[in-house]
Amino acid sequence: MGMILSVVNQKGGVGKTTSAVNLTAALHLAGKKVLLCDFDPQANSTSGLGVDKEALETSIYDVIINGADPKSAIVETEWGHVLPSSATLSGAGIELISMPDREHQLRKALDALRNDYDYIFVDCPPSLELLTLNALCAADHILIPVQCEYYALEGLRDLMTTLRAVNRSLNKKLDIFGVILTMFDGRTNLSMQVAEEVRRYFPGKVFATVIPRNVRLSEAPSHGMPIMAYDRFSRGAESYQALAQEFLKKEGR
């Protein structure tokens, strides 16, 4: 049975989508069956793996709101499978409010896919609202990208409060699988200090592999490619491949 991991941090611009896309691609290259569920209305993970979000007939919105078969929405790419998002998902938070068992609609969809994959990643929106709550209820674990910049820990207290609340009443098994340090610049004291502070805040949970600030990583999404396709010799590609290997070792596979 596959593992479901939600990539979550309510701050924007911390590397959630970059990490979700490139971990999916790196684990796919390592021979694993991986599905990336794009649960952000911006649909950047969808386009980041080369899927034309304007040409979609079925998306995750249709699955959780209209009851579409999740398997019918999956798009296969050479870098892994995608359960795509679209702009229509932006209204799903409101539509979910009136639905019974509203926090578990994503879980029901992904549970139907578990046996087909080793890993299912959920790319969450940058907020702590009903879509993100669905992602937390669906997941076995969460991955938290944290940028090595000022205010890195701002808002993480709210995320931890939400995580504890979900643990108590909605998903008792949910825990933190790991914390990913992103946008790291080893030339600056600030990055070193933030990394040290994050390791103190999440003892034993921070991956040793850090993701550097890298221009090629920033360019790759505009070409609809993961970094391994865009520039496999870049520092960004090497870092995500190393992160994937550390992920597999940590998970015991």
Side-chain angles (χ1 to χ4, degrees):
M1 182 178 290
M3 177 190 293
I4 301 174
L5 302 104
S6 288
V7 185
V8 60
N9 188 329
Q10 75 269 29
K11 279 179 65 64
V14 301
K16 283 193 301 297
T17 297
T18 298
S19 295
V21 166
N22 290 301
L23 260 181
T24 295
L27 289 169
H28 177 77
L29 278 177
K32 301 301 178 182
K33 296 179 180 178
V34 192
L35 172 68
L36 175 54
C37 172
D38 190 349
F39 212 50
D40 186 343
Q42 297 179 77
N44 290 331
S45 283
T46 299
S47 58
L49 281 177
V51 178
D52 182 359
K53 54 191 177 185
E54 304 300 329
L56 293 171
E57 293 185 5
T58 310
S59 71
I60 188 62
Y61 170 85
D62 300 292
V63 173
I64 65 167
I65 300 299
N66 299 325
D69 180 359
K71 292 185 179 181
S72 72
I74 291 173
V75 179
E76 297 184 15
T77 81
E78 61 179 306
W79 302 102
H81 292 187
V82 184
L83 188 51
S85 181
S86 66
T88 54
L89 189 63
S90 59
I94 296 173
E95 293 178 78
L96 282 168
I97 291 174
S98 61
M99 296 179 67
D101 205 20
R102 61 188 182 186
E103 301 93 349
H104 294 102
Q105 297 306 306
L106 182 63
R107 178 186 60 77
K108 293 174 183 177
L110 296 185
D111 277 351
L113 303 172
R114 269 185 186 270
N115 292 333
D116 297 331
Y117 296 97
D118 297 310
Y119 305 107
I120 299 175
F121 291 104
V122 182
D123 184 19
C124 298
S127 61
L128 290 177
E129 39 76 70
L130 198 47
L131 290 180
T132 300
L133 185 59
N134 260 262
L136 294 177
C137 290
D140 303 309
H141 311 282
I142 62 172
L143 290 172
I144 308 175
V146 180
Q147 83 278 34
C148 293
E149 296 180 349
Y150 197 59
Y151 296 134
L153 299 180
E154 182 182 289
L156 286 180
R157 184 174 302 170
D158 292 338
L159 176 58
M160 293 302 101
T161 299
T162 301
L163 177 60
R164 286 190 290 269
V166 171
N167 272 144
R168 283 195 301 270
S169 58
L170 295 169
N171 185 358
K172 297 182 185 300
K173 67 183 178 181
L174 185 66
D175 65 3
I176 300 171
F177 185 86
V179 178
I180 305 168
L181 293 170
T182 64
M183 305 179 195
F184 182 83
D185 187 345
R187 300 168 299 178
T188 68
N189 288 331
L190 178 60
S191 280
M192 303 294 286
Q193 291 166 358
V194 169
E196 185 177 342
E197 189 175 356
V198 172
R199 291 188 179 104
R200 281 201 304 266
Y201 195 83
F202 296 103
K205 294 291 186 181
V206 182
F207 285 100
T209 303
V210 298
I211 307 303
R213 184 175 290 281
N214 181 251
V215 173
R216 305 299 271 175
L217 269 177
S218 302
E219 293 173 347
S222 66
H223 296 270
M225 298 179 181
I227 187 61
M228 277 68 73
Y230 182 64
D231 187 348
R232 64 191 180 98
F233 298 111
S234 66
R235 290 176 61 228
E238 291 172 355
S239 296
Y240 273 109
Q241 289 181 83
L243 180 65
Q245 292 305 311
E246 186 178 354
F247 175 96
L248 291 171
K249 184 176 180 180
K250 182 179 177 72
E251 203 264 317
R253 298 197 194 188

